[in-house]
Amino acid sequence: MNTALMIAGMALINLVIRWPVYLFANHFRFPPIIERALAFVPVAVLTAIIVPTVLYPGDGTKLDISWSNPALLAALVACAVSYLAKNLFATIGAGVVAFLLLRWLLPV
């Protein structure tokens, strides 16, 4: 299949799905309880992506909570930096640097 046609089709589907939301956004207001609940969606999605990646590294079939898991140790470093610095870029940078260093230093 032609790559450009596939990209155009995905863009069109994305537009059709999202366009009504933007069209009616000013005419509709969620109840306060729904707005509060929606505030937790990004945290829940990121948690659902990160936790399996950290706990099931490699092929994703075996739980690894040992000290030889660089993803787990880097996640702990990122959590500590996040708690202490309260800075998103510092957290991301520390986590990536810790992961790369631990992956290079720890035996596989």
Side-chain angles (χ1 to χ4, degrees):
M1 178 175 258
N2 188 355
T3 305
L5 181 63
M6 190 167 28
I7 291 173
M10 289 187 293
L12 181 64
I13 289 171
N14 207 345
L15 179 68
V16 167
I17 290 171
R18 294 174 188 234
W19 180 69
V21 175
Y22 292 123
L23 182 65
F24 298 112
N26 290 334
H27 305 291
F28 182 78
R29 180 94 174 150
F30 284 115
I33 193 165
I34 300 293
E35 286 184 4
R36 279 193 310 241
L38 288 174
F40 293 101
V41 169
V43 174
V45 169
L46 285 174
T47 303
I49 293 169
I50 292 170
V51 169
T53 304
V54 167
L55 296 180
Y56 294 92
D59 59 356
T61 58
K62 183 181 169 197
L63 178 67
D64 185 7
I65 53 172
S66 67
W67 292 111
S68 63
N69 180 355
L72 178 61
L73 296 175
L76 293 174
V77 168
C79 286
V81 170
S82 174
Y83 180 76
L84 295 172
K86 306 226 182 324
N87 183 321
L88 179 63
F89 292 120
T91 302
I92 293 170
V96 169
V97 168
F99 178 72
L100 291 175
L101 286 174
L102 289 166
R103 196 152 168 220
W104 180 58
L105 295 174
L106 291 176
V108 178

